[in-house]
Amino acid sequence: MWFFIVLLILLIIFLCFSVKIVKQSEVYIIERLGKFHKSADAGLTIIIPFVDRVRSIVSLKQQTLDIEPQEVITKDNVTITINTVVFYKITDPVSAVYEIQNLQKSIDYLAVTTMRDLVGKMDLDSTFTSRDVIDEKLKAMLDEATSKWGCSIYRVEVQDITLPPDIRDSMEKQMNAERNKRALILQAEGERQAAILKAQGEKEATILKADAEKEAQIRKASGEAEAIKKVAEAKADEVKMVYSAMMKSNPSQTLVQLKSLETLKDVAQGEANKVFIPFDATSTLASIGSLTEVVKGEKKKEDK
């Protein structure tokens, strides 16, 4: 009876040591008598107690490795502190266990040395403006170096770059000076543009004013010419009417000559410097002079 009880206990212990349940996203590396036997995936697996043993449990999840801040010297001899994070995943559990003693430490050391090599070839400004370049180059170099360890580098991120206090102060002063310079340039450009627009406006206003004055003078001259034309036409109509009336009244030669003299009087009172008297008018004047002398003689005889 006791024999069966002991046998049952031993059987239960054997089953507890021989049956292994592997979780999802994990792999068991199993050795038999100190030699690699198999890698057990997720699910139920059986091993022989005291003969087989689980050497390592490898996670297949993507993992992160936060590398401690490292002091790096740039190309222009400035010491900066860089904090980096590496995202990696084990693709070959057997190589990750047997090809390297400590995978995480190896990635850490490799990332530090690679970072120093990359940043040492760049100046200070490039380290701030080329973070993407640093990330890509670091990822490519780490992925190439760790591929033989059954590891794949998915991403590398430069979290922070810390400058020495004196360098930070000088950079802040430089940035302030650059901002002030940009502000002055923008202000000068604005004033220049305003002056140009003002000059263009004054120019256009002057041109428009000159065009307006020119148009006014043209219209004024046109109006005066039209008025003179209308006056001349009115005078011509008046002369025609007078002439028609005179012709209808059958005037004598003496009346015509008197009207001519009245016209000459009006002409002589004008603004012209010279007056041209027709030959007929001179003969008329001579006749009038003779008549005047005759009238004067008749008056003297009457007085006596």
Side-chain angles (χ1 to χ4, degrees):
M1 185 66 182
W2 288 102
F3 175 76
F4 290 105
I5 294 174
V6 172
L7 184 62
L8 181 61
I9 293 173
L10 291 176
L11 182 60
I12 293 172
I13 293 174
F14 180 81
L15 291 174
C16 290
F17 279 99
S18 62
V19 176
K20 300 292 182 182
I21 299 175
V22 182
K23 297 180 181 179
Q24 184 67 34
S25 300
E26 289 184 350
V27 173
Y28 281 18
I29 303 299
I30 299 174
E31 293 180 346
R32 176 168 291 175
L33 299 177
K35 186 179 179 180
F36 171 72
H37 175 60
K38 67 176 181 177
S39 58
D41 297 328
L44 182 66
T45 185
I46 304 296
I47 63 174
I48 301 175
F50 308 109
V51 177
D52 297 338
R53 75 182 185 94
V54 178
R55 162 68 186 274
S56 179
I57 300 175
V58 181
S59 175
L60 299 180
K61 297 179 182 179
Q62 185 171 315
Q63 304 179 52
T64 59
L65 177 61
D66 190 2
I67 300 174
E68 294 183 0
Q70 300 293 322
E71 291 187 351
V72 183
I73 300 175
T74 61
K75 185 178 180 180
D76 46 358
N77 296 324
V78 178
T79 302
I80 59 177
T81 303
I82 300 180
N83 185 18
T84 313
V85 178
V86 179
F87 297 85
Y88 70 96
K89 184 178 181 180
I90 296 175
T91 56
D92 186 358
V94 178
S95 298
V97 172
Y98 292 102
E99 296 294 335
I100 190 71
Q101 180 69 28
N102 191 318
L103 181 61
Q104 286 194 344
K105 280 189 176 181
S106 301
I107 295 174
D108 190 350
Y109 295 150
L110 189 59
V112 170
T113 55
T114 307
M115 175 67 70
R116 288 177 178 173
D117 181 61
L118 286 176
V119 177
K121 297 176 182 178
M122 305 171 65
D123 54 20
L124 182 61
D125 293 336
S126 299
T127 57
F128 286 97
T129 58
S130 304
R131 287 195 180 189
D132 294 339
V133 177
I134 295 175
D135 294 342
E136 291 297 325
K137 288 185 177 180
L138 190 58
K139 172 185 174 299
M141 297 177 72
L142 288 177
D143 191 39
E144 182 181 358
T146 58
S147 60
K148 60 183 178 181
W149 301 335
C151 177
S152 179
I153 306 297
Y154 280 82
R155 192 179 182 89
V156 178
E157 289 288 341
V158 176
Q159 282 187 316
D160 188 25
I161 298 177
T162 306
L163 294 172
D166 54 343
I167 301 296
R168 187 185 302 110
D169 293 339
S170 63
M171 289 186 68
E172 289 178 355
K173 292 178 180 179
Q174 181 180 358
M175 287 188 293
N176 291 331
E178 186 68 23
R179 291 192 189 98
N180 294 332
K181 176 183 176 182
R182 292 177 185 173
L184 292 175
I185 291 173
L186 291 175
Q187 182 179 359
E189 185 66 23
E191 293 176 353
R192 172 177 172 273
Q193 191 68 20
I196 291 173
L197 293 176
K198 182 179 179 181
Q200 289 179 350
E202 293 177 353
K203 176 182 176 182
E204 292 177 359
T206 303
I207 293 173
L208 291 175
K209 183 178 179 182
D211 291 341
E213 292 178 354
K214 178 181 176 182
E215 185 69 20
Q217 291 177 358
I218 291 173
R219 291 186 178 183
K220 182 179 179 182
S222 178
E224 292 177 353
E226 188 68 22
I228 292 171
K229 181 179 178 182
K230 289 182 179 180
V231 171
E233 290 176 352
K235 290 290 184 183
D237 293 338
E238 183 180 355
V239 171
K240 289 180 180 179
M241 291 175 65
V242 172
Y243 179 76
S244 298
M246 290 176 64
M247 293 303 294
K248 289 179 181 179
S249 62
N250 194 13
S252 62
Q253 186 68 23
T254 304
L255 181 60
V256 173
Q257 291 175 352
L258 288 174
K259 290 293 182 179
S260 299
L261 289 175
E262 290 178 359
T263 304
L264 288 174
K265 179 183 177 181
D266 294 335
V267 173
Q269 289 178 354
E271 296 179 354
N273 294 327
K274 295 180 181 181
V275 177
F276 296 91
I277 299 175
F279 177 76
D280 294 338
T282 56
S283 62
T284 303
L285 289 174
S287 300
I288 293 172
S290 300
L291 290 173
T292 303
E293 292 295 332
V294 172
V295 172
K296 287 181 179 179
E298 291 294 332
K299 286 184 178 179
K300 287 180 180 180
K301 287 179 180 181
E302 291 176 359
D303 290 339
K304 291 180 179 181

